[in-house]
Structures are given as structure tokens and as C-alpha cells.
Amino acid sequence: LLSLSDLILYRGKRIPRYEFEALKKNIGRLAMIDSFFSTTFDKRVAHSFVDPDNPIQEGWIKVVFRLDIDVLD
């Protein structure tokens, strides 16, 4: 059984490099998401969304986010 205190989710996505650089400056801080945000428990599924064999536009980067969720009572 999964404990809520151990909740780890993944999300694979392509993002602009400038957005990636901004995110790196805020590791460990609060993140706000203003749209639907799909995630998975399976890291392999997240990696499939950033298909390494599929080329990417210049100025974009493929990332897999690991979200460590801290559930508070």
C-alpha cells in the first residue's frame, strides 16, 4: 500500500529552455501551476512523453519532472 507521505509522481514534457533555466533557480521552492497537470507514478511513462528518438525544436528542452509530494494533515 502506498503511503501518502511517500508520494512521488513524474511528468515528461518539452519546455522552452528559458523556462527550464527559471525553474532551476527555484528548485525546492513552491511551484504554481495554472492549468491541468497530468502525472504518473511510472517514470517510464513520463519518459515516453519526451521520446528521445524524436527531434526537438531549437530553443526547447526535454525534461522529466520528479514531484515529491508532501501531504499535510
PDB file of all heavy atoms in Angstrom, residues 4-5 9 40 48 51 57:
ATOM      1  N   LEU A   4       0.863   8.118   1.712  1.00  0.00           N
ATOM      2  CA  LEU A   4       0.781   9.467   1.154  1.00  0.00           C
ATOM      3  C   LEU A   4       2.020  10.295   1.450  1.00  0.00           C
ATOM      4  O   LEU A   4       2.362  11.194   0.714  1.00  0.00           O
ATOM      5  CB  LEU A   4      -0.462  10.190   1.676  1.00  0.00           C
ATOM      6  CG  LEU A   4      -1.787   9.716   1.102  1.00  0.00           C
ATOM      7  CD1 LEU A   4      -2.931  10.512   1.696  1.00  0.00           C
ATOM      8  CD2 LEU A   4      -1.803   9.831  -0.405  1.00  0.00           C
ATOM      9  N   SER A   5       2.726   9.976   2.536  1.00  0.00           N
ATOM     10  CA  SER A   5       3.934  10.742   2.849  1.00  0.00           C
ATOM     11  C   SER A   5       5.074  10.400   1.896  1.00  0.00           C
ATOM     12  O   SER A   5       6.068  11.101   1.840  1.00  0.00           O
ATOM     13  CB  SER A   5       4.368  10.502   4.291  1.00  0.00           C
ATOM     14  OG  SER A   5       4.690   9.140   4.473  1.00  0.00           O
ATOM     15  N   LEU A   9       5.563  11.485  -7.962  1.00  0.00           N
ATOM     16  CA  LEU A   9       4.941  11.480  -9.278  1.00  0.00           C
ATOM     17  C   LEU A   9       5.932  11.998 -10.309  1.00  0.00           C
ATOM     18  O   LEU A   9       6.892  12.687  -9.966  1.00  0.00           O
ATOM     19  CB  LEU A   9       3.688  12.366  -9.278  1.00  0.00           C
ATOM     20  CG  LEU A   9       2.591  11.966  -8.305  1.00  0.00           C
ATOM     21  CD1 LEU A   9       1.528  13.062  -8.232  1.00  0.00           C
ATOM     22  CD2 LEU A   9       1.977  10.646  -8.708  1.00  0.00           C
ATOM     23  N   THR A  40       2.211  10.772 -13.555  1.00  0.00           N
ATOM     24  CA  THR A  40       2.158   9.320 -13.477  1.00  0.00           C
ATOM     25  C   THR A  40       3.053   8.846 -12.339  1.00  0.00           C
ATOM     26  O   THR A  40       3.991   9.528 -11.937  1.00  0.00           O
ATOM     27  CB  THR A  40       2.615   8.674 -14.806  1.00  0.00           C
ATOM     28  OG1 THR A  40       2.579   7.248 -14.669  1.00  0.00           O
ATOM     29  CG2 THR A  40       4.019   9.104 -15.192  1.00  0.00           C
ATOM     30  N   SER A  48       8.291   8.434 -21.860  1.00  0.00           N
ATOM     31  CA  SER A  48       7.699   8.232 -23.181  1.00  0.00           C
ATOM     32  C   SER A  48       7.144   9.537 -23.757  1.00  0.00           C
ATOM     33  O   SER A  48       7.031   9.681 -24.966  1.00  0.00           O
ATOM     34  CB  SER A  48       6.601   7.170 -23.122  1.00  0.00           C
ATOM     35  OG  SER A  48       5.437   7.655 -22.482  1.00  0.00           O
ATOM     36  N   ASP A  51       9.993  11.439 -25.847  1.00  0.00           N
ATOM     37  CA  ASP A  51      10.607  10.465 -26.740  1.00  0.00           C
ATOM     38  C   ASP A  51      12.007  10.892 -27.171  1.00  0.00           C
ATOM     39  O   ASP A  51      12.172  11.840 -27.931  1.00  0.00           O
ATOM     40  CB  ASP A  51       9.703  10.288 -27.956  1.00  0.00           C
ATOM     41  CG  ASP A  51      10.240   9.288 -28.954  1.00  0.00           C
ATOM     42  OD1 ASP A  51      11.268   8.639 -28.679  1.00  0.00           O
ATOM     43  OD2 ASP A  51       9.635   9.156 -30.030  1.00  0.00           O
ATOM     44  N   GLN A  57      12.615  21.061 -31.370  1.00  0.00           N
ATOM     45  CA  GLN A  57      12.893  22.381 -31.927  1.00  0.00           C
ATOM     46  C   GLN A  57      14.041  23.060 -31.198  1.00  0.00           C
ATOM     47  O   GLN A  57      14.228  22.860 -29.997  1.00  0.00           O
ATOM     48  CB  GLN A  57      11.668  23.287 -31.775  1.00  0.00           C
ATOM     49  CG  GLN A  57      10.520  22.983 -32.680  1.00  0.00           C
ATOM     50  CD  GLN A  57       9.374  23.928 -32.382  1.00  0.00           C
ATOM     51  OE1 GLN A  57       8.551  23.622 -31.550  1.00  0.00           O
ATOM     52  NE2 GLN A  57       9.358  25.059 -33.047  1.00  0.00           N
TER      53      GLN A  57
END
